[in-house]
Amino acid sequence: MTTHHPLTKYARLWLALGPNLFLVALALVWPHDGEDRGPALLSIAGHQHFILLHFPVAILMLVPFFEIWDRHAEAGLTIRRLSLLGAVSIWATCVFGLLEARFNGSDYTGLDQHLWLGIAASFVAAGSWLLIFQSWRVRVVAQLAAVAIMTIAAHIGGAKVHGDLLKPNKESQKSSATEAPARSARPPLA
C-alpha cells in the first residue's frame, strides 16, 4: 500500500476545514427560530437529524474498532473509506441539526453545548480523516477523540429530547395526574 494520495495535503486540509467552517458560520448566522415554524420542506428535512445521527455514531465507532483489530502501520482501504464516511456523515448530521433548530419552532434553550460539541465532533472527525496516513497511534487517538466528543454531544442532545431516564418525564406525570381524578369520579359497583 502506498501513502500517496491523489489529493495534495492542502486540498485535503481544505476538504476537511471548509465544510466545518461553513457549519460554524451557519450556526452563528442562523439562530433557532423560537416558536415560528419554517417552510414545510425545510422543517421535514430538519426532522431527519434524529434519524441521521445514528449513522455517524455507528461508523465512527467502527473505525477505531477496526484499527485496533487490524493494527497495521498503514490504514487499510476499508478504514480510510470508513473514516471519510464518518466525517461526511457527522457533518451532514450537523447540517440537519441546524435545520431542525432553525425551522421547527421548538424550545432549543440550553442546546448551545450540544450544537457546539456536535460541530467540534465534526471538526475532530474530519481531522481524523486528515490524519489517516499518520502512524497507527496518531490515527487511533484522533478517532477515539472524535468518538468521545460525538458521544458527549449525543448525550446532551438525547437528555434534552428524552429527559433524564431515571426520573419520570413531564408527559408521563401529566397523564397520571389527569387519570387520578377520573378514577375517583366513577360510581362504586354495587
Side-chain angles (χ1 to χ4, degrees), residues 33 36-43 102-105:
D33 62 351
D36 298 331
R37 292 183 65 86
L41 187 60
L42 294 175
S43 177
R102 177 70 178 114
F103 294 111
N104 281 307

Side-chain angles (χ1 to χ4, degrees), residues 152-172:
I152 294 168
H155 176 74
I156 292 170
K160 179 70 175 170
V161 170
H162 300 293
D164 189 354
L165 296 177
L166 301 176
K167 290 191 241 177
N169 62 17
K170 292 177 186 174
E171 293 301 317
S172 67

Side-chain angles (χ1 to χ4, degrees), residues 16-34:
L17 275 180
N20 288 305
L21 292 173
F22 173 74
L23 277 179
V24 170
L26 203 58
L28 292 173
V29 176
W30 230 12
H32 68 81
D33 62 351

Side-chain angles (χ1 to χ4, degrees), residues 29-163:
V29 176
W30 230 12
H32 68 81
D33 62 351
E35 295 299 315
D36 298 331
R37 292 183 65 86
L41 187 60
L42 294 175
S43 177
I44 292 168
H47 285 312
Q48 304 316 303
H49 172 71
F50 304 108
I51 296 168
L52 288 175
L53 62 90
H54 296 91
F55 192 65
V57 169
I59 296 297
L60 289 176
M61 290 180 128
L62 281 175
V63 174
F65 173 76
F66 284 142
E67 280 275 24
I68 292 169
W69 187 4
D70 286 344
R71 199 175 176 135
H72 292 296
E74 294 178 356
L77 182 62
T78 302
I79 292 170
R80 292 193 317 250
R81 287 185 178 165
L82 283 176
S83 182
L84 176 61
L85 187 60
V88 169
S89 65
I90 198 167
W91 180 85
T93 300
C94 289
V95 169
F96 281 96
L98 287 168
L99 288 173
E100 171 67 20
R102 177 70 178 114
F103 294 111
N104 281 307
S106 296
D107 178 27
Y108 288 99
T109 56
L111 272 185
D112 283 343
Q113 267 187 324
H114 174 64
L115 167 73
W116 292 109
L117 279 171
I119 292 173
S122 182
F123 267 102
V124 175
S128 71
W129 169 75
L130 194 61
L131 296 172
I132 203 69
F133 292 113
Q134 300 301 314
S135 71
W136 180 83
R137 286 188 178 144
V138 170
R139 292 191 316 258
V140 171
V141 167
Q143 293 157 359
L144 290 174
V147 169
I149 295 170
M150 175 194 58
T151 301
I152 294 168
H155 176 74
I156 292 170
K160 179 70 175 170
V161 170
H162 300 293

